[in-house]
Amino acid sequence: METKILSEHYDKPEYRTLEGYKRLGGGYEPLAKCLKMDRQQIINDVKTAGVRGRGGAGFPAGVKWGFLPDNGETRYLLCNADEGEPGTFKDKVILEQAPHQMIEGMIIAAFAINSPKSYVYIRGEYAKAQKIVKAAIDEAYAAGLLGENILGSGFTHHMDIYSGAGAYICGEETAMISSLEGKKGQPKLKPPFPAVAGYLGKPTIVNNVETFSAVQIIMRDGVEAYRKYGTEKSAGTKLFSISGDVMKPGVYEVPLGYPLKDLIEQECGGLRPGRKLKAVIPGGSSAPVLNAEESYKVTMDYEALAEMGSMLGSGAIIIMDDSRCMVDLLEVTLHFYHHESCGQCTPCREGTGWIHKMVKSIYDGTGRLQDIDLIDRVANQMRGRTICALADAASFPAISFVKKFRDEFEFYVREGRSKVTGVRVEGEAHA
Amino acid sequence: MEFSSQLKEFIKKELVRYEVKRSAIIPCLFAVQKEQGWVSPEAITVLSKEMELPETWITEVTSFYTMFNRKPVGKYHVQVCCNISCSMAGGRELAAHLEKNLSAKAGEVSPDGRYTVSRVECLGACGTAPMMQVNDEYYENLTLESAEKLLREME
């Protein structure tokens, strides 16, 4: 069963408005309470609640806030709404259905870290979400929830939105900062981490949309109530974006630690009639693929997925049934990473193109058997040798697809056609 | 080339909206593209003068981000997602169908000037695949027929 904590009112259109948000969910009461609290207490609460970054990296939010140096420099707060990990569409739901939940979480965070200015960096394609969030920010200003002396507390905070322009890499926090500074969205070497030197070289905290929503919930319901859901190390609930071969794809909120099998069979209404599960990408296209047996065993939390050699990532679950050709899907996936590599680091710029080219040659019927091992070798050599994690993100699907579905790649090379569909796709439908 | 007075006014406001002037480049490029349909090399020169920022800064941003069209596009810029979830739901077949039936070769403008069909990466509508973005709007849960009909009936 779904456990709707964040998403309790997402289905009600009036929840989008300030009035509806206040009436249905007691919105902005937690903010009023927080503004009277000791700042360190809020940070401690978020730490104790154990909410881990919901964008993909899973870093504990409260711990991140604790990295800010105490040097009197202006601190900036950024909300990462550059949702772009293939398979992920849960932040769009929050932005469009519950903008105030995120905004309130941001103001609470801003107060906790004492930041005068924040930006919501929203991907350029989410034009509708940008309009809704901008309208919500305007409402908050008009109600004295943003701007000078918020609710008479003496705390001043300004918030604005910033539009991305079509670059997956800007979801990486240092790339997002480069982009916000008006530059190409290229990641920067860490350390220094943004908490020390971020936007304009100033201390900066970047959190995901859903993380801010969770902060609002933690401060509303209390740490204990939040920790009632989830597991010891993966606390709370999470929004999962589920797509692919299920009857009812969509965004579902369940506690972390929820069995993937139940998500597929209950929430999503199971597979299409007569189909069997073949594979699942559990955390966005960068997460190593699981085979059916692993998928039916795993629970959706950071630890269980790591143990299985994959990751929770952004919580984007892509379901593949037995009609799917893994050579085809890996080709699509690697095309993406090659396209989105920012070109800064050689192993990534060249590597993503090289492994894509090899998989494409197999898909085109001109691949060689030795390429299968070469894909694995090149992918492994890309890892850990670049400024950001995009090279690693591209290597994970390549390595895991080839390892777990090697027979399909070998068959394709030998026969020049798919083992699953029996044909080779040519012509215009070919990507 | 000269920008409209509204566009010039917008640029002026954006230049003081952020902590640094440079941050105004992306929003101003969007505004230029909205007015002119694409970002021409000439428009970059004019924008650089309006913003009093180096032309190279604007050029590198224009070429880095895929949403800036460096070639003219049709009245309807049809962007079909061909990433993994959409591909599984027929996104590539949809793109091919629209290219063929609207006489718009991938990335080029159709002879009547109405359409440019592009294949793009994940647009974050994976649960309602296949989908396309036409200018600013998302259209989801499409079939070959519904997508074509939608596009033909656009004013």
Side-chain angles (χ1 to χ4, degrees):
Chain A
M1 262 243 311
E2 264 198 281
T3 305
K4 295 189 174 186
I5 307 296
L6 272 73
S7 62
E8 188 183 355
H9 302 292
Y10 286 5
D11 56 341
K12 306 179 186 83
E14 65 266 38
Y15 198 60
R16 255 191 217 176
T17 65
L18 180 58
E19 191 275 322
Y21 176 66
K22 280 180 161 176
R23 180 164 45 82
L24 291 165
Y28 290 105
E29 282 166 26
L31 172 66
K33 187 181 79 183
C34 285
L35 290 171
K36 294 188 186 112
M37 278 173 73
D38 174 45
R39 292 196 153 97
Q40 192 54 47
Q41 187 57 47
I42 300 172
I43 298 177
N44 288 348
D45 281 359
V46 173
K47 240 187 237 176
T48 319
V51 58
R52 297 174 59 166
R54 300 295 196 231
F59 195 81
V63 177
K64 205 183 213 181
W65 299 359
F67 288 156
L68 288 163
D70 208 2
N71 56 7
E73 281 195 286
T74 304
R75 295 165 167 185
Y76 290 99
L77 182 71
L78 305 182
C79 174
N80 188 340
D82 193 46
E83 182 166 66
E85 175 72 18
T88 318
F89 49 102
K90 47 106 187 164
D91 289 340
K92 182 155 56 90
V93 172
I94 299 176
L95 296 164
E96 292 182 1
Q97 313 295 340
H100 282 289
Q101 190 182 54
M102 172 195 77
I103 291 168
E104 185 180 3
M106 285 180 69
I107 306 171
I108 292 171
F111 175 72
I113 65 165
N114 198 10
S115 161
K117 181 74 188 271
S118 62
Y119 286 99
V120 187
Y121 185 105
I122 309 179
R123 67 177 296 181
E125 295 87 346
Y126 283 4
K128 184 180 166 195
Q130 288 179 5
K131 278 189 204 126
I132 292 170
V133 172
K134 184 71 180 61
I137 290 174
D138 291 345
E139 274 186 312
Y141 266 106
L145 298 160
L146 276 172
E148 308 286 325
N149 190 17
I150 296 172
L151 299 176
S153 65
F155 175 62
T156 292
H157 184 77
H158 290 281
M159 189 181 289
D160 203 349
I161 64 166
Y162 195 83
S163 173
Y168 165 73
I169 192 60
C170 290
E172 199 277 346
E173 57 183 12
T174 60
M176 170 170 297
I177 288 166
S178 300
S179 180
L180 186 58
E181 290 167 344
K183 302 170 189 163
K184 290 185 285 186
Q186 289 187 322
K188 296 169 186 151
L189 205 57
K190 296 188 263 195
F193 286 89
V196 175
Y199 178 52
L200 306 174
K202 304 285 185 204
T204 304
I205 292 294
V206 188
N207 286 130
N208 171 257
V209 173
E210 188 187 349
T211 309
F212 285 119
S213 286
V215 165
Q216 194 273 342
I217 297 293
I218 292 164
M219 299 317 292
R220 186 191 70 183
D221 299 348
V223 174
E224 243 172 76
Y226 187 77
R227 289 198 65 97
K228 263 208 314 225
Y229 301 101
T231 68
E232 177 63 29
K233 287 184 178 162
S234 295
T237 57
K238 165 110 190 69
L239 301 180
F240 288 98
S241 320
I242 309 178
S243 65
D245 297 323
V246 284
M247 295 306 286
K248 291 187 291 178
V251 172
Y252 297 93
E253 181 178 5
V254 292
L256 286 164
Y258 198 78
L260 176 55
K261 186 171 194 281
D262 291 354
L263 253 180
I264 297 172
E265 290 177 354
Q266 290 170 27
E267 275 68 37
C268 295
L271 303 173
R272 296 180 293 173
R275 288 290 167 200
K276 276 204 296 226
L277 185 68
K278 179 179 205 168
V280 174
I281 296 174
S285 72
S286 309
V289 69
L290 303 177
N291 63 29
E293 194 195 330
E294 292 166 325
S295 305
Y296 280 140
K297 263 200 295 202
V298 82
T299 53
M300 296 305 291
D301 52 272
Y302 297 95
E303 290 70 35
L305 279 156
E307 226 167 85
M308 203 67 97
S310 189
M311 57 191 192
L312 186 83
S314 60
I317 304 173
I318 304 165
I319 313 283
M320 290 160 271
D321 71 22
D322 56 355
S323 70
R324 300 300 173 184
C325 169
M326 300 310 268
V327 178
D328 179 14
L329 295 182
L330 183 59
E331 195 277 326
V332 170
T333 301
L334 295 181
H335 177 272
F336 168 77
Y337 290 102
H338 182 215
H339 183 264
E340 300 298 338
S341 172
C342 84
Q344 203 177 193
C345 311
T346 310
C348 178
R349 183 185 64 243
E350 300 301 322
T352 51
W354 192 2
I355 54 176
H356 172 247
K357 210 166 149 187
M358 285 190 279
V359 175
K360 182 144 187 346
S361 72
I362 295 174
Y363 187 61
D364 286 340
T366 57
R368 307 168 305 170
L369 267 180
Q370 63 262 41
D371 288 341
I372 300 172
D373 285 326
L374 196 54
I375 291 165
D376 183 70
R377 230 175 81 206
V378 175
N380 268 298
Q381 284 172 2
M382 288 159 59
R383 293 173 56 184
R385 291 182 164 83
T386 51
I387 289 173
C388 83
L390 192 139
D392 296 68
S395 76
F396 291 142
I399 293 166
S400 61
F401 270 62
V402 168
K403 185 176 163 207
K404 292 181 183 171
F405 300 96
R406 194 180 175 96
D407 58 321
E408 287 191 30
F409 287 83
E410 287 179 351
F411 184 96
Y412 216 122
V413 170
R414 279 199 311 269
E415 306 276 331
R417 63 193 169 90
S418 168
K419 187 180 176 189
V420 182
T421 65
V423 295
R424 183 170 83 230
V425 181
E426 282 175 279
E428 287 161 331
H430 195 312
Chain B
M1 176 194 293
E2 184 144 6
F3 292 160
S4 70
S5 50
Q6 296 99 299
L7 180 52
K8 282 186 189 166
E9 208 43 49
F10 177 85
I11 293 167
K12 239 188 237 164
K13 279 191 195 148
E14 287 295 305
L15 279 170
V16 294
R17 178 171 170 181
Y18 312 98
E19 282 72 16
V20 288
K21 275 172 72 180
R22 194 169 183 172
S23 297
I25 295 176
I26 290 176
C28 288
L29 280 169
F30 273 121
V32 168
Q33 178 159 294
K34 199 170 174 197
E35 179 162 299
Q36 310 199 336
W38 64 301
V39 182
S40 64
E42 206 189 342
I44 290 175
T45 308
V46 176
L47 185 60
S48 143
K49 284 189 186 123
E50 291 286 336
M51 297 184 79
E52 296 177 354
L53 291 177
E55 209 171 313
T56 47
W57 286 10
I58 300 171
T59 305
E60 68 171 15
V61 166
T62 313
S63 68
F64 186 84
Y65 296 93
T66 51
M67 283 181 78
F68 297 126
N69 305 319
R70 286 181 293 152
K71 282 193 311 190
V73 294
K75 185 175 174 196
Y76 302 107
H77 189 194
V78 184
Q79 303 179 69
V80 184
C81 176
C82 291
N83 207 297
I84 183 163
S85 302
C86 277
S87 276
M88 286 165 69
R92 289 172 294 182
E93 289 77 10
L94 175 63
H97 177 82
L98 295 177
E99 284 158 11
K100 189 167 151 236
N101 287 21
L102 304 174
S103 328
K105 261 200 229 162
E108 288 175 25
V109 186
S110 62
D112 60 5
R114 272 175 70 85
Y115 310 105
T116 296
V117 180
S118 313
R119 297 178 184 217
V120 298
E121 298 299 348
C122 189
L123 290 175
C126 324
T128 43
M131 63 84 65
M132 64 181 177
Q133 182 183 359
V134 183
N135 300 341
D136 269 357
E137 292 282 325
Y138 275 28
Y139 298 90
E140 297 161 60
N141 287 318
L142 299 169
T143 62
L144 301 185
E145 296 71 30
S146 72
E148 185 181 340
K149 186 162 179 282
L150 257 163
L151 287 164
R152 287 201 186 281
E153 285 170 2
M154 282 183 180
E155 275 310 307

